[in-house]
Coordinates of all heavy atoms in Angstrom, one line a residue:
M1111 N 12.0 -12.9 6.5 CA 10.8 -12.3 6.0 C 10.4 -11.0 6.9 O 10.4 -11.2 8.1 CB 9.7 -13.4 6.0 CG 8.4 -13.0 5.2 SD 7.3 -14.2 5.2 CE 6.9 -14.4 3.5
S1112 N 10.0 -10.0 6.3 CA 9.8 -8.9 7.0 C 8.3 -8.8 7.5 O 7.5 -9.6 6.9 CB 10.1 -7.6 6.1 OG 9.1 -7.4 5.0
I1113 N 7.9 -7.8 8.3 CA 6.6 -7.8 8.7 C 5.7 -7.4 7.5 O 4.4 -7.7 7.3 CB 6.3 -6.7 9.8 CG1 4.9 -6.8 10.3 CG2 6.7 -5.2 9.3 CD1 4.7 -6.3 11.8
L1114 N 6.2 -6.6 6.5 CA 5.4 -6.3 5.3 C 5.1 -7.6 4.5 O 4.0 -7.7 3.9 CB 6.1 -5.3 4.4 CG 6.0 -3.8 5.0 CD1 6.9 -2.9 4.2 CD2 4.7 -3.3 5.3
H1115 N 6.1 -8.5 4.4 CA 6.0 -9.6 3.7 C 5.0 -10.6 4.4 O 4.0 -11.3 3.7 CB 7.3 -10.5 3.5 CG 8.2 -10.0 2.4 ND1 9.3 -9.1 2.6 CD2 8.1 -10.0 1.0 CE1 9.8 -8.7 1.5 NE2 9.2 -9.3 0.5
D1116 N 5.0 -10.6 5.7 CA 4.0 -11.4 6.5 C 2.6 -10.9 6.2 O 1.7 -11.6 6.0 CB 4.3 -11.3 7.9 CG 5.6 -12.0 8.4 OD1 6.1 -12.8 7.6 OD2 6.1 -11.8 9.5
L1117 N 2.5 -9.5 6.2 CA 1.2 -8.9 6.0 C 0.7 -9.2 4.6 O -0.5 -9.5 4.4 CB 1.3 -7.4 6.3 CG -0.1 -6.6 6.1 CD1 -1.2 -7.2 7.0 CD2 0.2 -5.2 6.4
E1118 N 1.6 -9.1 3.6 CA 1.3 -9.5 2.2 C 0.7 -10.9 2.1 O -0.3 -11.1 1.5 CB 2.5 -9.3 1.3 CG 2.1 -9.7 -0.1 CD 3.5 -9.7 -0.9 OE1 4.6 -10.2 -0.5 OE2 3.4 -9.3 -2.1
A1119 N 1.4 -11.9 2.7 CA 1.0 -13.2 2.8 C -0.4 -13.4 3.4 O -1.3 -14.1 2.9 CB 1.9 -14.2 3.5
T1120 N -0.7 -12.6 4.4 CA -2.1 -12.7 5.0 C -3.1 -12.1 4.1 O -4.1 -12.8 4.0 CB -2.1 -12.0 6.4 OG1 -1.1 -12.5 7.3 CG2 -3.4 -11.9 6.9
I1121 N -2.8 -11.1 3.5 CA -3.8 -10.4 2.4 C -4.0 -11.4 1.3 O -5.1 -11.5 1.0 CB -3.2 -9.0 2.0 CG1 -3.2 -8.1 3.1 CG2 -3.9 -8.6 0.7 CD1 -2.4 -6.8 2.9
I1122 N -2.9 -12.0 0.8 CA -3.1 -13.0 -0.3 C -4.0 -14.1 0.2 O -4.9 -14.5 -0.6 CB -1.8 -13.5 -0.9 CG1 -1.1 -12.2 -1.6 CG2 -1.9 -14.5 -1.8 CD1 0.4 -12.4 -1.9
N1123 N -3.8 -14.6 1.4 CA -4.6 -15.7 1.8 C -6.0 -15.3 2.0 O -7.0 -16.0 1.7 CB -4.1 -16.2 3.2 CG -2.8 -17.0 3.0 OD1 -2.5 -17.6 2.0 ND2 -2.0 -17.0 4.0
R1124 N -6.2 -14.0 2.3 CA -7.7 -13.6 2.4 C -8.4 -13.4 1.1 O -9.7 -13.3 1.1 CB -7.7 -12.2 3.2 CG -7.1 -12.3 4.6 CD -8.2 -13.0 5.6 NE -7.9 -12.8 6.9 CZ -7.0 -13.3 7.7 NH1 -6.0 -14.0 7.1 NH2 -6.8 -12.9 9.0
K1125 N -7.6 -13.4 0.0 CA -8.2 -13.2 -1.3 C -9.4 -14.3 -1.5 O -10.3 -14.1 -2.1 CB -7.3 -13.3 -2.4 CG -6.5 -12.0 -2.5 CD -5.4 -12.1 -3.7 CE -6.0 -11.5 -5.0 NZ -4.8 -11.4 -5.9
S1126 N -9.2 -15.5 -1.0 CA -10.1 -16.6 -1.1 C -11.0 -16.8 0.0 O -11.8 -17.7 0.0 CB -9.4 -18.0 -1.5 OG -8.5 -18.1 -0.4
A1127 N -10.9 -15.9 1.0 CA -11.7 -16.0 2.1 C -13.3 -15.5 1.9 O -13.4 -14.7 1.0 CB -11.2 -15.3 3.3
D1128 N -14.2 -15.9 2.7 CA -15.6 -15.4 2.6 C -15.4 -13.8 3.0 O -15.1 -13.5 4.1 CB -16.4 -16.2 3.5 CG -17.9 -15.7 3.5 OD1 -18.3 -14.7 2.9 OD2 -18.7 -16.4 4.2
P1129 N -16.0 -12.9 2.2 CA -16.0 -11.6 2.5 C -16.8 -11.3 3.8 O -16.6 -10.2 4.4 CB -16.7 -10.9 1.3 CG -16.5 -11.8 0.1 CD -16.5 -13.3 0.8
K1130 N -17.6 -12.0 4.2 CA -18.4 -11.9 5.5 C -17.5 -12.2 6.7 O -17.8 -11.8 7.7 CB -19.6 -12.8 5.5 CG -20.7 -12.5 4.6 CD -21.8 -13.5 4.6 CE -22.8 -13.2 3.5 NZ -23.9 -14.1 3.5
S1131 N -16.4 -12.9 6.5 CA -15.6 -13.2 7.6 C -14.3 -12.3 7.7 O -13.6 -12.6 8.6 CB -15.2 -14.7 7.4 OG -14.2 -14.8 6.3
S1132 N -14.0 -11.5 6.8 CA -12.8 -10.7 6.7 C -12.9 -9.5 6.0 O -13.5 -9.3 5.0 CB -11.7 -11.7 6.0 OG -10.6 -10.8 5.5
W1133 N -12.5 -8.3 6.8 CA -12.4 -7.1 6.1 C -11.6 -7.1 4.8 O -11.9 -6.6 3.8 CB -11.9 -5.9 7.1 CG -11.4 -4.7 6.4 CD1 -10.2 -4.3 6.2 CD2 -12.3 -3.8 5.8 NE1 -10.3 -3.0 5.5 CE2 -11.6 -2.6 5.3 CE3 -13.7 -3.7 5.7 CZ2 -12.2 -1.6 4.6 CZ3 -14.3 -2.6 5.0 CH2 -13.5 -1.5 4.5
T1134 N -10.5 -7.7 4.8 CA -9.7 -7.8 3.7 C -10.3 -8.4 2.5 O -10.2 -8.0 1.4 CB -8.3 -8.5 3.9 OG1 -7.7 -7.8 5.0 CG2 -7.3 -8.5 2.8
A1135 N -10.9 -9.6 2.9 CA -11.6 -10.4 1.7 C -12.8 -9.5 1.3 O -13.0 -9.3 0.0 CB -12.2 -11.7 2.3
K1136 N -13.5 -8.7 2.0 CA -14.5 -7.9 1.7 C -14.1 -6.8 0.7 O -14.6 -6.5 -0.2 CB -15.2 -7.4 3.0 CG -16.5 -6.5 2.7 CD -17.1 -6.0 4.0 CE -18.3 -5.2 3.8 NZ -19.0 -4.8 5.0
L1137 N -13.0 -6.2 1.2 CA -12.4 -5.0 0.4 C -12.0 -5.6 -1.1 O -12.3 -4.9 -2.1 CB -11.2 -4.4 1.1 CG -10.6 -3.2 0.5 CD1 -11.7 -2.1 0.3 CD2 -9.4 -2.7 1.4
L1138 N -11.2 -6.7 -1.1 CA -10.8 -7.3 -2.3 C -12.0 -7.7 -3.2 O -11.9 -7.6 -4.5 CB -9.8 -8.5 -2.0 CG -8.5 -8.1 -1.5 CD1 -7.7 -9.2 -0.9 CD2 -7.6 -7.5 -2.6
A1139 N -13.0 -8.2 -2.6 CA -14.2 -8.7 -3.4 C -14.9 -7.3 -4.2 O -15.6 -7.6 -5.2 CB -15.2 -9.3 -2.5
K1140 N -14.6 -6.3 -3.6 CA -15.2 -4.9 -4.3 C -14.3 -4.6 -5.5 O -14.8 -3.7 -6.2 CB -15.3 -3.8 -3.2 CG -16.3 -4.1 -2.1 CD -16.4 -3.0 -1.2 CE -17.3 -3.2 -0.1 NZ -17.5 -2.2 0.9
G1141 N -13.2 -5.2 -5.7 CA -12.4 -4.9 -7.0 C -11.3 -4.0 -6.7 O -11.2 -3.3 -5.8
P1142 N -10.4 -3.9 -7.6 CA -9.2 -3.1 -7.6 C -9.4 -1.6 -7.5 O -8.7 -0.9 -6.8 CB -8.4 -3.4 -8.9 CG -8.9 -4.6 -9.4 CD -10.4 -4.8 -8.9
E1143 N -10.6 -1.1 -8.1 CA -10.8 0.3 -8.1 C -11.2 0.7 -6.7 O -10.7 1.7 -6.2 CB -11.9 0.6 -9.1 CG -11.5 0.5 -10.5 CD -11.7 -1.0 -11.0 OE1 -12.2 -1.9 -10.2 OE2 -11.3 -1.2 -12.1
K1144 N -11.9 -0.1 -5.9 CA -12.3 0.2 -4.6 C -11.1 0.1 -3.7 O -11.0 1.1 -2.7 CB -13.4 -0.8 -4.0 CG -13.9 -0.4 -2.6 CD -14.4 0.9 -2.6 CE -15.2 1.3 -1.2 NZ -15.7 2.7 -1.2
C1145 N -10.2 -0.8 -3.9 CA -9.0 -1.0 -3.1 C -8.1 0.3 -3.3 O -7.5 0.8 -2.4 CB -8.2 -2.2 -3.5 SG -9.1 -3.8 -3.1
A1146 N -8.1 0.8 -4.6 CA -7.2 2.0 -4.9 C -7.8 3.2 -4.3 O -7.2 3.9 -3.5 CB -7.2 2.2 -6.3
E1147 N -9.1 3.2 -4.2 CA -9.9 4.4 -3.6 C -9.5 4.4 -2.1 O -9.2 5.4 -1.5 CB -11.3 4.3 -3.8 CG -12.2 5.4 -3.2 CD -13.7 5.1 -3.4 OE1 -14.1 4.6 -4.4 OE2 -14.4 5.4 -2.4
K1148 N -9.6 3.1 -1.4 CA -9.5 3.1 0.0 C -7.9 3.5 0.5 O -7.7 4.1 1.3 CB -9.8 1.7 0.5 CG -9.8 1.5 2.0 CD -10.8 2.4 2.6 CE -10.9 2.2 4.1 NZ -11.5 3.4 4.8
F1149 N -7.1 3.0 -0.4 CA -5.7 3.4 -0.2 C -5.5 4.9 -0.3 O -4.9 5.6 0.6 CB -4.7 2.8 -1.2 CG -3.3 3.4 -1.3 CD1 -2.4 3.2 -0.2 CD2 -2.8 4.1 -2.4 CE1 -1.2 3.8 -0.1 CE2 -1.7 4.7 -2.3 CZ -0.8 4.6 -1.3
G1150 N -6.2 5.6 -1.3 CA -6.1 7.0 -1.5 C -6.6 7.8 -0.2 O -6.1 8.7 0.4
E1151 N -7.9 7.2 0.3 CA -8.4 7.7 1.6 C -7.4 7.7 2.7 O -7.3 8.7 3.5 CB -9.7 7.1 1.9 CG -10.8 7.3 1.0 CD -12.0 6.4 1.2 OE1 -11.9 5.6 2.2 OE2 -13.0 6.5 0.4
E1152 N -6.7 6.6 2.9 CA -5.9 6.4 4.0 C -4.6 7.3 3.9 O -4.0 7.6 4.8 CB -5.4 4.9 4.1 CG -6.7 4.0 4.5 CD -7.3 4.3 5.8 OE1 -6.6 4.9 6.7 OE2 -8.5 3.9 5.9
A1153 N -4.1 7.4 2.5 CA -2.9 8.4 2.3 C -3.3 9.7 2.7 O -2.4 10.4 3.4 CB -2.6 8.1 0.9
I1154 N -4.5 10.1 2.4 CA -4.8 11.5 2.8 C -4.9 11.7 4.2 O -4.5 12.7 4.8 CB -6.1 11.9 2.1 CG1 -6.0 12.0 0.6 CG2 -6.8 13.1 2.6 CD1 -7.3 12.1 -0.2
E1155 N -5.4 10.7 5.0 CA -5.5 10.7 6.4 C -4.2 10.8 6.9 O -3.8 11.5 8.0 CB -6.2 9.5 7.0 CG -7.8 9.7 6.6 CD -8.5 8.4 7.0 OE1 -8.0 7.4 7.8 OE2 -9.7 8.2 6.7
A1156 N -3.1 10.2 6.4 CA -1.7 10.2 6.9 C -1.1 11.6 6.6 O -0.5 12.1 7.4 CB -0.9 9.1 6.3
I1157 N -1.5 12.1 5.5 CA -1.1 13.5 5.1 C -1.6 14.4 6.1 O -0.8 15.4 6.6 CB -1.3 13.8 3.6 CG1 -0.7 13.1 2.8 CG2 -1.2 15.3 3.4 CD1 -1.4 13.0 1.2
I1158 N -2.9 14.4 6.5 CA -3.4 15.2 7.5 C -2.7 15.3 8.7 O -2.4 16.3 9.3 CB -4.9 15.0 7.7 CG1 -5.6 15.4 6.4 CG2 -5.5 15.7 8.8 CD1 -7.1 14.9 6.3
E1159 N -2.4 14.0 9.3 CA -1.6 13.9 10.6 C -0.3 14.5 10.4 O 0.3 15.0 11.3 CB -1.8 12.5 11.1 CG -3.1 12.0 11.3 CD -4.0 12.8 12.2 OE1 -3.3 13.6 13.0 OE2 -5.2 12.8 12.1
A1160 N 0.4 14.2 9.2 CA 1.7 14.7 9.0 C 1.7 16.3 9.1 O 2.7 16.8 9.8 CB 2.3 14.3 7.7
V1161 N 0.6 17.0 8.5 CA 0.6 18.4 8.6 C 0.3 18.8 9.9 O 0.9 19.9 10.4 CB -0.5 18.9 7.6 CG1 -0.8 20.3 7.8 CG2 0.0 18.6 6.2
K1162 N -0.6 18.1 10.8 CA -0.8 18.5 12.1 C 0.4 18.3 13.0 O 0.4 18.9 14.0 CB -2.0 17.7 12.6 CG -3.3 17.9 12.0 CD -4.3 17.0 12.7 CE -5.8 17.2 12.4 NZ -6.6 16.2 13.0
G1163 N 1.3 17.4 12.6 CA 2.4 17.2 13.4 C 2.1 16.2 14.6 O 3.0 16.1 15.5
D1164 N 1.1 15.4 14.5 CA 0.7 14.4 15.5 C 1.5 13.1 15.2 O 1.0 12.3 14.2 CB -0.7 14.2 15.6 CG -1.1 13.3 16.7 OD1 -0.5 12.4 17.1 OD2 -2.2 13.6 17.3
R1165 N 2.5 12.9 15.8 CA 3.4 11.7 15.5 C 2.7 10.4 15.8 O 2.8 9.5 15.0 CB 4.7 11.7 16.3 CG 5.6 13.0 15.9 CD 6.7 13.2 16.9 NE 7.5 12.0 17.1 CZ 8.7 11.7 16.6 NH1 9.2 12.4 15.6 NH2 9.3 10.6 16.8
V1166 N 2.0 10.3 16.9 CA 1.3 9.0 17.2 C 0.2 8.7 16.1 O 0.0 7.7 15.6 CB 0.7 9.0 18.6 CG1 -0.2 7.9 18.8 CG2 1.8 9.2 19.7
K1167 N -0.6 9.6 15.7 CA -1.6 9.5 14.9 C -1.0 9.3 13.4 O -1.6 8.5 12.6 CB -2.6 10.6 14.8 CG -3.5 10.7 16.1 CD -4.6 11.8 16.0 CE -5.4 11.8 17.1 NZ -6.4 12.9 17.1
L1168 N 0.1 9.9 13.1 CA 0.7 9.7 11.8 C 1.2 8.2 11.7 O 1.0 7.6 10.7 CB 1.8 10.6 11.5 CG 2.8 10.5 10.3 CD1 1.8 10.5 9.1 CD2 3.8 11.5 10.3
A1169 N 1.8 7.7 12.9 CA 2.2 6.3 12.8 C 1.1 5.4 12.6 O 1.2 4.4 11.7 CB 2.9 5.9 14.1
S1170 N -0.1 5.7 13.3 CA -1.3 4.9 13.0 C -1.8 4.9 11.6 O -2.2 3.9 11.0 CB -2.4 5.2 14.1 OG -3.4 4.6 13.9
E1171 N -2.0 6.2 11.1 CA -2.5 6.3 9.7 C -1.5 5.8 8.8 O -1.8 5.3 7.7 CB -2.7 7.8 9.5 CG -3.9 8.4 10.3 CD -5.3 7.7 10.0 OE1 -5.4 7.0 9.1 OE2 -6.1 7.8 10.9
G1172 N -0.1 5.9 9.0 CA 0.8 5.4 8.2 C 0.8 3.8 8.0 O 0.8 3.2 6.9
A1173 N 0.4 3.2 9.2 CA 0.2 1.7 9.2 C -1.1 1.3 8.3 O -1.0 0.4 7.5 CB 0.0 1.2 10.6
D1174 N -2.1 2.2 8.5 CA -3.4 2.0 7.7 C -3.1 2.1 6.1 O -3.4 1.3 5.4 CB -4.4 3.0 8.0 CG -5.0 2.7 9.4 OD1 -4.8 1.6 9.9 OD2 -5.8 3.6 9.8
A1175 N -2.2 3.1 5.9 CA -1.9 3.5 4.5 C -1.1 2.2 3.9 O -1.2 1.8 2.7 CB -1.0 4.7 4.3
L1176 N 0.0 1.8 4.7 CA 0.7 0.6 4.3 C -0.1 -0.7 4.0 O 0.1 -1.3 2.9 CB 1.9 0.2 5.2 CG 3.1 1.3 5.2 CD1 4.0 1.0 6.4 CD2 3.9 1.1 3.9
Y1177 N -0.9 -0.9 4.9 CA -1.9 -2.0 4.6 C -2.7 -1.9 3.6 O -2.8 -2.9 2.6 CB -2.7 -2.2 6.0 CG -4.0 -3.0 5.7 CD1 -3.9 -4.5 5.7 CD2 -5.2 -2.4 5.5 CE1 -5.1 -5.1 5.5 CE2 -6.4 -3.1 5.3 CZ -6.2 -4.5 5.2 OH -7.3 -5.3 4.9
H1178 N -3.3 -0.7 3.3 CA -4.2 -0.6 2.1 C -3.4 -0.6 0.8 O -3.8 -0.9 -0.3 CB -5.1 0.6 2.3 CG -6.1 0.4 3.3 ND1 -6.1 0.6 4.5 CD2 -7.4 -0.2 3.1 CE1 -7.2 0.3 5.2 NE2 -8.1 -0.2 4.3
F1179 N -2.1 -0.1 0.8 CA -1.3 -0.2 -0.3 C -1.0 -1.6 -0.6 O -1.1 -1.9 -1.9 CB 0.0 0.5 0.0 CG 1.0 0.5 -1.2 CD1 0.8 1.2 -2.3 CD2 2.3 -0.3 -1.0 CE1 1.6 1.1 -3.4 CE2 3.1 -0.4 -2.2 CZ 2.9 0.4 -3.4
L1180 N -0.8 -2.5 0.4 CA -0.6 -3.9 0.1 C -1.9 -4.5 -0.4 O -1.8 -5.5 -1.3 CB 0.0 -4.6 1.3 CG 1.2 -4.3 1.7 CD1 1.7 -4.9 3.0 CD2 2.4 -4.5 0.6
V1181 N -3.0 -4.2 0.0 CA -4.2 -4.7 -0.6 C -4.4 -4.2 -2.0 O -4.8 -5.0 -2.7 CB -5.4 -4.2 0.3 CG1 -6.9 -4.5 -0.3 CG2 -5.3 -4.8 1.7
M1182 N -4.1 -3.1 -2.3 CA -4.2 -2.5 -3.7 C -3.3 -3.3 -4.5 O -3.7 -3.7 -5.6 CB -3.9 -1.1 -3.7 CG -4.0 -0.4 -5.0 SD -3.7 1.5 -5.1 CE -1.9 1.4 -4.5
L1183 N -2.1 -3.6 -4.1 CA -1.2 -4.3 -5.0 C -1.8 -5.7 -5.2 O -1.6 -6.2 -6.3 CB 0.2 -4.5 -4.2 CG 1.0 -3.3 -4.1 CD1 2.4 -3.5 -3.4 CD2 1.4 -2.7 -5.5
A1184 N -2.2 -6.3 -4.1 CA -2.8 -7.8 -4.2 C -4.0 -7.7 -5.2 O -4.2 -8.6 -5.9 CB -3.2 -8.2 -2.8
A1185 N -4.8 -6.7 -5.1 CA -6.0 -6.7 -5.9 C -5.5 -6.7 -7.5 O -6.4 -7.1 -8.4 CB -6.8 -5.4 -5.7
R1186 N -4.3 -6.2 -7.7 CA -3.9 -6.2 -9.1 C -2.7 -7.2 -9.4 O -1.9 -7.2 -10.4 CB -3.3 -4.8 -9.5 CG -4.4 -3.8 -9.7 CD -5.2 -4.1 -10.9 NE -6.2 -3.0 -11.3 CZ -7.2 -3.2 -12.1 NH1 -7.4 -4.4 -12.6 NH2 -8.0 -2.2 -12.3
D1187 N -2.6 -8.1 -8.4 CA -1.6 -9.3 -8.4 C -0.2 -8.7 -8.7 O 0.7 -9.3 -9.4 CB -2.0 -10.2 -9.5 CG -3.2 -11.0 -9.2 OD1 -3.5 -11.4 -8.1 OD2 -4.1 -11.1 -10.2
V1188 N 0.2 -7.6 -8.0 CA 1.6 -7.1 -8.1 C 2.2 -7.4 -6.8 O 1.8 -7.0 -5.6 CB 1.5 -5.6 -8.3 CG1 2.9 -5.0 -8.2 CG2 0.9 -5.2 -9.5
P1189 N 3.3 -8.3 -6.8 CA 3.9 -8.7 -5.6 C 4.7 -7.5 -5.0 O 5.3 -6.7 -5.6 CB 4.9 -9.8 -6.1 CG 4.5 -10.1 -7.4 CD 3.8 -8.9 -8.0
L1190 N 4.8 -7.5 -3.6 CA 5.6 -6.4 -2.8 C 7.0 -6.5 -3.3 O 7.6 -5.4 -3.4 CB 5.5 -6.7 -1.4 CG 6.4 -6.0 -0.5 CD1 6.0 -4.5 -0.5 CD2 6.3 -6.5 0.9
D1191 N 7.6 -7.7 -3.7 CA 8.8 -7.8 -4.2 C 9.1 -7.0 -5.5 O 10.2 -6.5 -5.7 CB 9.3 -9.2 -4.3 CG 9.6 -9.8 -3.0 OD1 9.8 -9.2 -2.0 OD2 9.7 -11.1 -2.9
D1192 N 8.1 -6.8 -6.2 CA 8.2 -6.0 -7.4 C 8.5 -4.5 -7.1 O 9.3 -3.9 -7.7 CB 6.9 -6.1 -8.3 CG 6.9 -7.4 -9.2 OD1 7.8 -8.3 -9.0 OD2 6.0 -7.5 -9.9
V1193 N 7.7 -4.0 -6.0 CA 7.9 -2.7 -5.6 C 9.4 -2.5 -4.9 O 9.9 -1.5 -5.3 CB 6.8 -2.3 -4.6 CG1 7.1 -0.9 -3.9 CG2 5.5 -2.4 -5.2
L1194 N 9.7 -3.6 -4.1 CA 11.1 -3.5 -3.4 C 12.2 -3.6 -4.5 O 13.2 -2.9 -4.3 CB 11.2 -4.5 -2.4 CG 10.1 -4.5 -1.3 CD1 10.3 -5.8 -0.4 CD2 10.3 -3.3 -0.5
A1195 N 12.0 -4.3 -5.5 CA 13.0 -4.4 -6.6 C 13.1 -3.0 -7.4 O 14.4 -2.6 -7.5 CB 12.7 -5.4 -7.6
E1196 N 12.1 -2.4 -7.5 CA 12.1 -1.0 -8.1 C 12.8 0.1 -7.1 O 13.7 0.9 -7.6 CB 10.7 -0.5 -8.3 CG 10.6 0.9 -9.0 CD 11.3 1.0 -10.5 OE1 11.4 -0.1 -11.1 OE2 11.8 2.0 -10.8
L1197 N 12.6 -0.1 -5.8 CA 13.3 0.7 -5.0 C 14.8 0.4 -4.9 O 15.6 1.3 -4.9 CB 12.8 0.5 -3.4 CG 11.4 1.2 -3.2 CD1 10.9 0.8 -1.8 CD2 11.5 2.7 -3.3
A1198 N 15.1 -0.8 -4.9 CA 16.5 -1.3 -5.0 C 17.3 -0.7 -6.2 O 18.3 -0.3 -6.2 CB 16.6 -2.8 -4.9
K1199 N 16.5 -0.8 -7.4 CA 17.0 -0.2 -8.7 C 17.3 1.2 -8.6 O 18.4 1.8 -8.9 CB 16.0 -0.6 -9.7 CG 16.5 -0.4 -11.1 CD 15.6 -0.9 -12.2 CE 14.4 -0.1 -12.2 NZ 13.5 -0.5 -13.4
R1200 N 16.5 2.0 -7.8 CA 16.6 3.4 -7.7 C 17.7 3.8 -6.6 O 18.0 5.0 -6.6 CB 15.2 4.1 -7.4 CG 14.2 3.9 -8.4 CD 12.9 4.5 -7.9 NE 11.9 4.3 -8.9 CZ 10.7 4.9 -8.7 NH1 10.4 5.5 -7.7 NH2 9.8 4.5 -9.7
K1201 N 18.0 2.9 -5.8 CA 18.9 3.2 -4.6 C 20.2 3.6 -5.1 O 20.9 4.5 -4.4 CB 19.0 1.9 -3.8 CG 19.8 2.0 -2.6 CD 19.9 0.7 -1.9 CE 20.8 0.9 -0.6 NZ 21.1 -0.4 0.1
S1202 N 20.6 3.3 -6.2 CA 22.1 3.7 -6.7 C 22.1 4.9 -7.5 O 23.2 5.3 -7.8 CB 22.6 2.5 -7.6 OG 21.7 2.4 -8.8
Q1203 N 21.0 5.6 -7.6 CA 21.1 6.8 -8.3 C 20.3 8.0 -7.4 O 19.5 7.6 -6.5 CB 20.4 6.8 -9.7 CG 18.8 6.6 -9.6 CD 18.3 6.4 -11.1 OE1 18.3 5.4 -11.5 NE2 17.8 7.4 -11.7
S1204 N 20.7 9.2 -7.7 CA 20.1 10.3 -7.0 C 18.6 10.3 -7.3 O 18.2 10.0 -8.4 CB 20.8 11.6 -7.3 OG 20.3 12.2 -8.3
G1205 N 17.8 10.9 -6.3 CA 16.4 11.1 -6.6 C 16.2 12.1 -7.8 O 15.1 11.9 -8.5
L1206 N 17.0 13.1 -7.9 CA 16.9 14.1 -9.0 C 17.1 13.4 -10.3 O 16.4 13.6 -11.3 CB 17.9 15.2 -8.8 CG 17.5 16.1 -7.5 CD1 18.7 17.1 -7.4 CD2 16.2 16.8 -7.6
D1207 N 18.2 12.5 -10.4 CA 18.4 11.8 -11.6 C 17.2 10.8 -12.1 O 16.9 10.7 -13.1 CB 19.7 11.0 -11.5 CG 21.0 12.0 -11.5 OD1 20.9 13.1 -11.9 OD2 22.0 11.5 -11.1
E1208 N 16.8 10.0 -10.9 CA 15.6 9.2 -11.1 C 14.4 10.0 -11.6 O 13.7 9.5 -12.6 CB 15.3 8.4 -9.9 CG 14.3 7.3 -10.0 CD 12.9 7.7 -10.2 OE1 12.6 8.6 -9.5 OE2 12.2 7.0 -10.9
K1209 N 14.1 10.9 -11.1 CA 13.0 11.8 -11.4 C 13.1 12.3 -12.9 O 12.3 12.3 -13.8 CB 12.8 12.9 -10.5 CG 11.4 13.7 -10.7 CD 11.1 14.6 -9.7 CE 9.8 15.3 -9.9 NZ 8.8 15.1 -9.0
A1210 N 14.3 12.8 -13.3 CA 14.6 13.2 -14.7 C 14.5 12.2 -15.6 O 13.9 12.4 -16.7 CB 16.0 13.9 -14.7
S1211 N 14.9 10.9 -15.3 CA 14.8 9.9 -16.2 C 13.3 9.5 -16.5 O 13.0 9.0 -17.6 CB 15.5 8.6 -15.7 OG 14.8 8.0 -14.6
R1212 N 12.3 9.7 -15.6 CA 11.0 9.4 -15.7 C 10.4 10.4 -16.6 O 9.5 10.2 -17.4 CB 10.2 9.2 -14.5 CG 10.6 8.1 -13.7 CD 9.5 7.8 -12.5 NE 10.0 8.7 -11.4 CZ 9.2 9.3 -10.5 NH1 7.9 9.0 -10.5 NH2 9.7 10.1 -9.5
A1213 N 10.9 11.7 -16.5 CA 10.3 12.7 -17.4 C 10.6 12.5 -18.8 O 9.9 13.0 -19.6 CB 10.9 14.2 -16.8
K1214 N 11.7 11.9 -19.0 CA 12.0 11.6 -20.6 C 11.2 10.6 -21.2 O 11.2 10.5 -22.3 CB 13.6 11.3 -20.6 CG 14.5 12.3 -20.3 CD 16.0 11.9 -20.3 CE 16.8 13.1 -19.6 NZ 18.2 12.5 -19.4
S1215 N 10.6 9.7 -20.4 CA 9.9 8.6 -21.0 C 8.5 8.9 -21.3 O 7.9 9.8 -21.0 CB 10.0 7.3 -20.1 OG 10.2 7.4 -18.8

């Protein structure tokens, strides 16, 4: 099991926790839209650090973005393995081919 799977399991366990006792439970209690909004905020913060070139802050903001991405998935009951399966499917084709196939649909 990877650290992302471990984190996903913790997030799923927090879905039933008291929002007063857990940041994750509090965020999930606000609904999928708020979870998506928070992921967007964290992604922007990571982008800012990437543009600045601050490797340490980018790693920190990247961790925040990954965590909030997993929370957003959990809010919509999408397993991490679904995302990983999609990545595995795309692994055998070039990025240009994959992007072109999405444009046709």
Side-chain angles (χ1 to χ4, degrees):
M1111 196 176 222
S1112 72
I1113 192 163
L1114 290 178
H1115 283 103
D1116 292 345
L1117 182 54
E1118 176 189 43
T1120 299
I1121 290 166
I1122 291 168
N1123 287 335
R1124 295 291 197 285
K1125 285 177 97 170
S1126 58
D1128 180 352
K1130 293 178 185 174
S1131 69
S1132 162
W1133 164 250
T1134 303
K1136 183 177 182 177
L1137 187 56
L1138 287 164
K1140 292 180 180 182
E1143 294 81 6
K1144 184 63 177 177
C1145 294
E1147 178 185 327
K1148 189 63 181 163
F1149 168 66
E1151 291 171 9
E1152 296 299 337
I1154 289 168
E1155 290 174 11
I1157 292 166
I1158 290 167
E1159 296 308 332
V1161 170
K1162 286 180 176 178
D1164 188 323
R1165 295 169 52 97
V1166 172
K1167 287 184 180 176
L1168 176 56
S1170 178
E1171 293 300 341
D1174 289 347
L1176 284 171
Y1177 161 77
H1178 284 90
F1179 179 67
L1180 292 175
V1181 170
M1182 181 177 65
L1183 291 177
R1186 288 293 186 196
D1187 297 317
V1188 175
L1190 173 60
D1191 283 341
D1192 286 4
V1193 176
L1194 297 177
E1196 183 62 28
L1197 284 172
K1199 194 168 73 175
R1200 294 177 185 187
K1201 183 178 175 184
S1202 63
Q1203 68 185 87
S1204 81
L1206 295 174
D1207 290 342
E1208 190 279 328
K1209 189 169 179 121
S1211 72
R1212 283 191 283 152
K1214 293 175 187 172
S1215 21

